[in-house]
Structure formats: C-alpha cells, structure tokens
Amino acid sequence: MAVFGIGRKQDNDAQDDAAKLSLRLDPLQALRLLPWLVALLVVLGVWCLVAGGLRLRDETRQHGMEYARDDAVASVRRVLNEQRQAFHHQLDAPEFRAALAAGDRQAAQAKLRQGLSEVARAELWPADLDGLYSGLPRSGYGTLAVVEEALASGKASSRIVQARGQHWLALAAPVTADPPLVAYVELPLRRLEAGVQAPALPEGTYLALRQGRASVIERGDTGLADSAEAMGARVPDSDLRIAAAAPDLAMAPFGLDGMPSIVLGALLLALAGGVWFWWRPRMQASAGVGVEDTGPTLADLQLDVPSAPASAVPAKVREHDRAARAERAPVVIDPRIFRAYDIRGVIGHSLDAGVAELIGQAIGTVMAEQGLDTIVVGRDGRLSGPDLAQGLIAGLRKAGRHVIDIGMVPTPVVYFGTYHLRTGCGVAITGSHNPPEYNGFKIVVGGETLAGDAIRDLYARIAEDRLLQADQEGSLDVRDISDDYVQRIASDIQIGQPLKVVVDAGNGVAGEIGPRVLAAIGADVTPLFCEIDGQFPNHHPDPSDPHNLDALVQMVQRLDADLGIAFDGDGDRLGVVTKAGKNIFPDRLLMLFAADVLERNPGAVIVYDVKCTGRLATQILRHGGSPLMWKTGHSLIKAKMRETDAALAGEMSGHFFFAERWYGFDDGIYAAARLLEILDLRGELPEAVFESLPDGVSTPEIKVELPEGQDPHEFVERLRLLAGFEGGRLTTIDGVRVDWPDGWGLVRASNTTPVLVMRFDAESVNAMARIQQAFRDRLLQLEPGLQLPF
C-alpha cells in the first residue's frame, strides 16, 4: 500500500505529530468513488445525445427551410420572367403595332388584352400620366409607382398592387408611339402563389412572399414572421423577397453542432461502460481485503479539530468590510453628462470606469424592473473604450444581467446585435463625432432608445442609491457578430454595376466593417483613413463639417471614382461627396431615400428633423408620402418613428433610419448601401441623379458659441419669446424655425455640445441674405457680443 506523509521520527512527540498529519490513499475507498464517475459520464453522455439529437433535428429543419426558400425564389423568378416575356411578345405583336400605327388606342388595348391569358386589366395611357395623378387615390399609388418606374428605366417593370379588394401582378412598359404611351396590365397571382406554395415546408417553419414590409402570400407559423428577414432572399430582377424563418436551434453542450454532440455523447457512454466493466471485478475482489491502520486519516484529524465560535469569522469579515467602505473614496457623478438622448462626458473629468460601473448598474436595475435579462455591449475605437467597457460590464453584472460583449464595433452593429441576438437591450460606448477626450453611452432597453426623462432617471437612481445588487452576478459572453452584420446587408442588397467608391472613416470605428459591407454588395471600394485610431490623427470624424471632407474630395477626383462616402466616429452617420467636389447634404439624400421607399410603400410617413430643407416635404408629397417634421436627436426620431409607424426618417446631421427592409435604427453604413443600390437601379451617373433633386442656396450647420456662463437652451427660449419675424411661419418644436415662401432659418441649442446650432436655406442668394439679416438683428438684440459668421 502506498503511503504519502511525513516520515516517522524517533521521539514519541514527533511520531504523534507525523501520524496526525499523514495522508494516505486507500485503494478500496478509491474504487468506491468510481461509481460516481460512471454516473457523471452517463449523465453527460445522455445530455449530449439528447441535446445533439434536438439540435440535429433543428439543423435539418433549417436546411430544409433554406432549400424551400431557394425553390420559392426560383419559382417566383421563373413565373415573373415568363409573364414579362409574354407581355413583351404581345407588345411586339403585328396586330398590336398596327393598331398603334393607325392611332386607334382602344383597338390596341383590345389586342393587348386578347394576347394575354387571364389578364384582368389592360390599359394604354399617355406618358405624361396626368390622368393617373389627377385620379389619386382611386387610380392607385401602386399602379402609379410601377408605371413611373417603367418610364424612368425605359423598360418593363413589375410589382404587386392591390386593386378591387385583392392583389394582382402589375406589368408596365413604355410604348413607342406618337404621342408616347405606357402599357399596363394586371394579372392574377395564381401562378406566383403556386410557386410559393409548391416547396414542402418543414414542420413549424414560415415562408412568405413579400414586397416592402407587406407579406403578400404567407405559409406556416406566422408567429415567426417578425424574424423572417434574417433568412430572407431577394427575387432577382424584382422588388420581391422570399422571407423565411425556422425556430431557433436547440443549444448543445459546449457549443457543439448536432452531430458532434451526438458523437461526444456516444463516446462518453462508451467510456462509462468501459469504466464500469473494469471496476466491477476489482471491487468484488477487494471486498474482503483489510487495510492496515497505521494512523489517523485526514478525515479523522478534521474530527479532532475544535470548531471556532460561530460569530468569530463573520465579525472579522464585517469589521474588514466596514474598514474598506470607510477607506473607499465616493464616486462623484456630474449630472450634466446625462444629455437629452445619450450620456456623454470628458474622460478623467466627468467620466471614468467608476462612473461607467454605476451607470451599468443603473441600466441593469431598469432592465430587471422590466423583466429583461441579457444585454449587448460594444464600443468604438476611442482609447478610453476598454476601461469604460470593463466598468460598464461590471455594473451590469452586479445587477445580475447577462452581458454579451461584441467588442470594438460601430454603434449600428450594437443596435443590430439587439435584434440579431434577440436581447432587445444594448449599450454602445461611444463619443460619436466628438473630440478624442470625449466618450459616452447610447442605450437601448426593451427595444427603446433611452432619451429625456429616461436618461435623467438613470442619474436619479445613482444619486438616490436605488441600484439593484443581485444575489448572483450576471454572466459574461464574448461574441463577434461582424460577419452576421455584413451578411445580413449583403443578402438583401446587391448592385449590378461595380460603382467605384472611396470610403473615409476618419480613423473611426467604421473603418473596418464599412468598406467590407460596401465591397460585399458589389462596390469597388478604396479605403481612406480607415485605420482605427482613437486620436483621429487625420481629421475630425464629423462628416457634417465640410472641411472634414476635403481629403475625400481630393481622393475621389484623383482616382476618378464615382462617389465619396464618409462615416462619423461611430458609424451611425453618413456624408456623401461627388466627383465634382459637391457635398450632398443629408436632407437631399433623404429625398432620394424617400422616393425609393415610397415606390413600395405609398402613403408611408417620412420623419425628418427641423434642420432639413423645406423642399424635402414637397418632394415627399410629390411621391405620395406623408412628411412629418420633428425634433433633432437620434433617440427622439426613433421614438417618433415608432409612434407614427414611419417607414423612413433622417436628420440633417446624417443619421438615416430605415424601417423598410431594416430595423429602424440609425445606420450610416446601411444607408450608404441603400444609396449605392438606388444609384445602381437608376443607371445614371451619380452627379446626374443628384442634379435631378430640387436644390437652392443653403448653409451647412453653423455652430456659434455663447459668451461664457450662458446656457444655450435658455438663450433659445428667450429668442422664442422675442420672436416676431414678419411674414414668417414660426415653428418651436425644437428651437426657433421660421419659414417664408422663399426660404427659412433655424436657431436651436445643441444637445451634445454647449453651442447654438443654426442653418439657413433659401431659393436665391438675395432671399438668403434677407433671412440671415432678420435672424442677425434678433440674435444681436439678445446678445450684442455674439460672433456671427453671417
């Protein structure tokens, strides 16, 4: 028998001490422990087998769903091509052309109808479309959209329209005649529906034919409809998509897939069987064997140790805790960092890891009250990001929340993570476009971006010590979802012509993933200042300042690129310049985005902030939309979108919010992809597309500092009370905006920096001078020492 211990000494006292300290290994006792090992192996093996089987079932179901989706895409595409070919064939038919040549439009319509089977409606209209516009809404927004698309592209177009209480496949094409005409037909959806209904669906899955946000044909479990875009696929050469969804994959042990988990389970059970058959004969043979008693075991020694008084150790712990608390310096919170729609401060002055920990604990407390368990955390490329992330995560875990750390990513990827990982909660640690010494937090709880009172409530919880200290600390998981974000966008957007694009990230965090996304959708991308550097050595990462776009303009011209794309420090804002060096202001980009979205969603609400041009509302109305002006601020805009069920929103600062085909959060990278898609579909040079938008004389954002000690919000309120702008219409939802028939001006207080923000827009230089002078007079009346650049 092997004995491990201290050797015996000659004197009896030493011998007794050695005997008490000796520790021996008893083979019989070791054999008796083996059944517990066998039981553990059996439990693990069964767990791996069952969980692996469930996951393998789910993987098989998901693969089956992908095959069904692809079959449906192919079937719908085939039906569309066949219907288009039949339409083209009839437009080229001699009888139809003869009727057109004779100037007999009624006879031509009849020939068009006769040549198409199951046609429900066949019309020929003058290309000016005056009759259709004057007949709205009875003539149909969808009908008008498909006809406008055909005339704009010069070729046949198709879309699903609703008329006479049901859906139809509408086809339209320009017709060469004198005067020019456009042909339009409506066909039943039976063949399209057959293509969607044909594939066999695995049990518990969902499949739908969608146009825009509307599901035209649905199959399966409609409870999965909201998550169906993740597996969706676009029908080529159309605006249709096949959306698909399957239940989440079952979790297998150790993050394994189904088959590896089953194999591991089988190996564990085999190992358990081997140990069992090895153990039984040896246990039986050892049953009568005695064990020499040469001294007390470790268990015996423990029985001889007198137990300490029950209160002794806790008293020492309590005394230690009191001393630690007495020595610990209190964390001071500056209430001014809690802004209108995020939290933002200066590192080392009003923000550090200790403050971040308290903010994290406050956010975790709010989550707990709403029954929310898991939150995504990401950070931008600022040097202070890792420390703030560590503090924030510690606070969240103190409140018992489970944290998924997705690392250094743009803010929109954090927002994407709240949907993709189904947490509904996220925090982006970012200073956005502010100088390097700034940092902060953009917060989403329960799908809602915190703003206003909700932000101030976090401060109140900290100041009043109303923070949850959970009994058990929350877990921490590290994930990389960058590839998922790129794939999600590229699966929905692909461009046919390789547009040559220069991307300037200003050394912000979008420098890595922004070019990846645009390359994945088919663009030819040249990166500029895309190395992530929290010091921003080349220029400030704020595309709303035209001076920050100078290097981008030079690179676009040097490379003869089609377009220049600029992102801000955290990737949620977009700037655009042309080859000619023109800065395309975001409110003009919003005109393009609105026209595109309204083609598929006529009548949709489009939200824009008070800094946008007055021509934007006219453009939205012209395309059949409902314009709505609202307050500046990403969280305020998102809240208004939810309230009005808007399809699109934008701000003059470069934030764009797509609820159609996307998730409704501000995302400069996704907005850039949508812009390239629009330019690709238009098939024109970008300059020509932008020149077609209504324009005038406008200024970028003008930032004016007040004399030290003055509050910008208080100053704007005084201006509002003084306001008496002759002939102008006053709007005070956010600052003071005055609209005249030939232009407008705005003064508001920034919610991110202590300055006044101004913007002016007019139809002519003379109107601009008059409007600026009217504002100048009233501003100087309030503060004669104000330094105005106009």
Side-chain angles (χ1 to χ4, degrees):
M1 177 176 300
V3 177
F4 298 90
I6 301 175
R8 301 177 184 270
K9 296 184 179 180
Q10 295 301 315
D11 63 88
N12 292 334
D13 292 338
Q15 187 178 26
D16 293 340
D17 292 340
K20 289 180 180 179
L21 293 171
S22 65
L23 176 63
R24 65 191 77 258
L25 179 64
D26 187 338
L28 185 57
Q29 290 178 345
L31 286 173
R32 287 171 178 165
L33 291 176
L34 285 178
W36 295 101
L37 174 61
V38 172
L40 177 61
L41 291 173
V42 170
V43 170
L44 287 174
V46 171
W47 179 31
C48 289
L49 282 175
V50 173
L54 292 175
R55 186 174 180 88
L56 185 61
R57 176 205 64 186
D58 292 345
E59 289 171 350
T60 303
R61 178 164 54 188
Q62 192 171 74
H63 291 323
M65 195 63 234
E66 290 171 352
Y67 291 138
R69 175 203 63 197
D70 294 342
D71 286 348
V73 168
S75 297
V76 170
R77 184 183 188 185
R78 183 177 62 255
V79 170
L80 285 177
N81 288 338
E82 290 172 354
Q83 301 278 32
R84 289 170 182 154
Q85 289 173 5
F87 185 43
H88 277 297
H89 182 268
Q90 194 55 32
L91 293 179
D92 292 335
E95 298 85 354
F96 176 79
R97 304 307 303 183
L100 281 181
D104 191 345
R105 205 168 88 194
Q106 294 298 325
Q109 285 184 174
K111 296 296 183 184
L112 182 61
R113 177 183 291 273
Q114 291 170 8
L116 295 172
S117 60
E118 298 184 323
V119 66
R121 181 183 179 189
E123 303 279 355
L124 284 170
W125 296 309
D128 59 20
L129 303 182
D130 288 344
L132 284 181
Y133 273 105
S134 62
L136 289 174
R138 184 175 55 82
S139 56
Y141 288 103
T143 296
L144 185 60
V146 70
V147 172
E148 286 275 22
E149 182 181 350
L151 291 173
S153 64
K155 58 185 180 182
S157 63
S158 62
R159 69 178 287 117
I160 295 174
V161 301
Q162 190 166 10
R164 302 177 297 284
Q166 65 182 88
H167 289 97
W168 306 88
L169 174 62
L171 301 173
V175 176
T176 303
D178 189 17
L181 301 173
V182 59
Y184 175 84
V185 298
E186 289 177 0
L187 303 169
L189 289 187
R190 281 193 289 273
R191 295 188 62 195
L192 282 180
E193 186 172 4
V196 177
Q197 297 289 351
L201 296 189
E203 183 181 358
T205 57
Y206 172 82
L207 188 75
L209 175 65
R210 288 183 175 174
Q211 180 175 259
R213 292 182 295 172
S215 294
V216 182
I217 302 168
E218 290 184 297
R219 295 179 60 195
D221 183 1
T222 56
L224 298 173
D226 290 342
S227 59
E229 287 297 332
M231 288 180 62
R234 185 175 179 180
V235 178
D237 305 319
S238 76
D239 289 330
L240 302 178
R241 302 187 314 284
I242 298 296
D248 291 340
L249 297 175
M251 294 297 294
F254 317 116
L256 296 173
D257 287 335
M259 186 53 69
S261 180
I262 291 174
V263 172
L264 177 60
L267 291 175
L268 289 173
L269 290 178
L271 179 60
V275 172
W276 174 263
F277 287 112
W278 177 88
W279 170 81
R280 284 198 67 188
R282 285 162 178 76
M283 187 63 196
Q284 292 170 353
S286 303
V289 178
V291 181
E292 182 184 1
D293 185 7
T294 58
T297 65
L298 184 60
D300 296 331
L301 290 174
Q302 290 173 342
L303 292 175
D304 294 334
V305 177
S307 59
S311 62
V313 174
K316 291 180 181 178
V317 173
R318 288 196 296 271
E319 182 180 348
H320 178 271
D321 287 347
R322 283 196 297 269
R325 284 196 297 269
E327 293 175 1
R328 189 184 303 140
V331 177
V332 178
I333 300 287
D334 184 349
R336 292 173 297 180
I337 69 174
F338 295 82
R339 308 294 183 93
Y341 35 83
D342 55 24
I343 299 173
R344 197 168 302 172
V346 179
I347 298 299
H349 293 277
S350 56
L351 197 56
D352 59 20
V355 173
E357 183 172 333
L358 291 174
I359 291 171
Q361 199 170 356
I363 295 169
T365 303
V366 174
M367 290 175 59
E369 291 175 358
Q370 298 183 24
L372 302 168
D373 183 66
T374 307
I375 185 168
V376 175
V377 172
R379 58 182 173 83
D380 68 12
R382 291 167 188 266
L383 303 183
S384 58
D387 285 343
L388 291 188
Q390 185 176 0
L392 179 80
I393 290 171
L396 289 164
R397 296 180 69 191
K398 273 187 177 181
R401 302 309 95 190
H402 303 303
V403 180
I404 302 175
D405 182 2
I406 60 173
M408 186 167 64
V409 294
T411 293
V413 178
V414 176
Y415 295 153
F416 170 77
T418 67
Y419 291 89
H420 181 67
L421 301 175
R422 299 186 180 181
T423 67
C425 302
V427 179
I429 302 169
T430 175
S432 188
H433 59 283
N434 290 101
E437 64 271 17
Y438 279 80
N439 215 326
F441 308 91
K442 296 179 179 179
I443 307 161
V444 178
V445 175
E448 180 177 347
T449 304
L450 300 192
D453 291 340
I455 292 284
R456 288 186 286 272
D457 175 66
L458 295 179
Y459 170 71
R461 290 174 184 273
I462 296 171
E464 298 165 12
D465 198 21
R466 293 187 286 113
L467 302 177
L468 172 64
Q469 180 72 50
D471 295 334
Q472 183 174 356
E473 188 176 69
S475 64
L476 173 61
D477 184 21
V478 178
R479 295 278 296 273
D480 182 355
I481 63 170
S482 299
D483 289 342
D484 301 305
Y485 176 78
V486 174
Q487 183 180 357
R488 171 66 179 84
I489 297 176
S491 66
D492 183 50
I493 300 175
Q494 287 292 313
I495 60 176
Q497 52 177 324
L499 291 167
K500 193 172 184 179
V501 179
V502 179
V503 174
D504 180 358
N507 299 112
V509 72
E512 192 275 331
I513 200 170
R516 279 179 60 196
V517 167
L518 299 186
I521 70 170
D524 179 2
V525 179
T526 299
L528 175 66
F529 308 142
C530 285
E531 304 81 9
I532 301 174
D533 186 335
Q535 296 285 7
F536 310 123
N538 292 290
H539 64 73
H540 197 55
D542 181 3
S544 66
D545 184 344
H547 298 295
N548 295 326
L549 303 175
D550 291 344
L552 178 60
V553 170
Q554 293 173 13
M555 184 61 74
V556 169
Q557 293 173 341
R558 184 183 308 163
L559 298 178
D560 194 30
D562 295 297
L563 205 64
I565 298 291
F567 299 124
D568 73 331
D570 66 333
D572 61 2
R573 296 197 291 140
L574 170 67
V576 175
V577 298
T578 67
K579 189 185 305 184
K582 187 169 185 179
N583 180 6
I584 308 301
F585 288 138
D587 50 2
R588 300 188 71 218
L589 292 176
L590 191 56
M591 293 179 187
L592 268 185
F593 293 143
D596 176 64
V597 168
L598 289 169
E599 283 184 3
R600 296 177 293 276
N601 304 272
V605 175
I606 311 294
V607 180
Y608 58 95
D609 77 328
V610 295
K611 294 186 287 185
C612 289
T613 175
R615 287 177 289 275
L616 175 59
T618 303
Q619 190 77 349
I620 293 171
L621 288 169
R622 180 177 177 272
H623 285 86
S626 301
L628 176 61
M629 183 190 296
W630 193 239
K631 302 175 183 179
T632 293
H634 65 93
S635 55
L636 306 178
I637 292 286
K638 279 179 275 195
K640 199 64 177 178
M641 288 183 72
R642 284 192 301 275
E643 177 187 332
T644 59
D645 194 27
L648 173 70
E651 293 185 280
M652 186 59 197
S653 59
H655 290 270
F656 297 100
F657 313 75
F658 287 86
E660 189 238 20
R661 294 165 54 192
W662 199 234
Y663 301 98
F665 55 75
D666 41 334
D667 188 339
I669 300 170
Y670 179 76
R674 288 288 289 259
L675 175 61
L676 297 188
E677 180 186 49
I678 292 170
L679 295 176
D680 177 56
L681 291 173
R682 293 282 290 265
E684 305 173 58
L685 291 175
E687 284 89 346
V689 174
F690 296 132
E691 285 298 328
S692 67
L693 301 173
D695 200 5
V697 182
S698 60
T699 69
E701 288 188 2
I702 301 171
K703 297 178 180 179
V704 176
E705 294 185 359
L706 284 168
E708 188 174 353
Q710 287 203 36
D711 181 2
H713 293 275
E714 181 184 345
F715 182 90
V716 171
E717 178 61 18
R718 288 165 54 204
L719 177 64
R720 184 185 69 81
L721 295 174
L722 175 71
F725 294 88
E726 184 178 353
R729 184 180 73 255
L730 187 66
T731 302
T732 58
I733 57 173
D734 185 8
V736 174
R737 172 168 170 152
V738 185
D739 284 79
W740 286 272
D742 56 353
W744 58 274
L746 168 74
V747 177
R748 61 179 295 274
S750 171
N751 284 312
T752 57
T753 51
V755 297
L756 296 175
V757 177
M758 306 180 191
R759 189 168 187 242
F760 302 94
D761 186 277
E763 298 295 335
S764 65
V765 174
N766 290 337
M768 171 69 75
R770 190 193 78 248
I771 292 169
Q772 287 186 328
Q773 187 61 47
F775 272 87
R776 180 181 179 85
D777 293 343
R778 281 153 185 81
L779 291 169
L780 294 179
Q781 184 179 347
L782 284 176
E783 179 52 60
L786 209 58
Q787 299 297 312
L788 298 174
F790 56 86

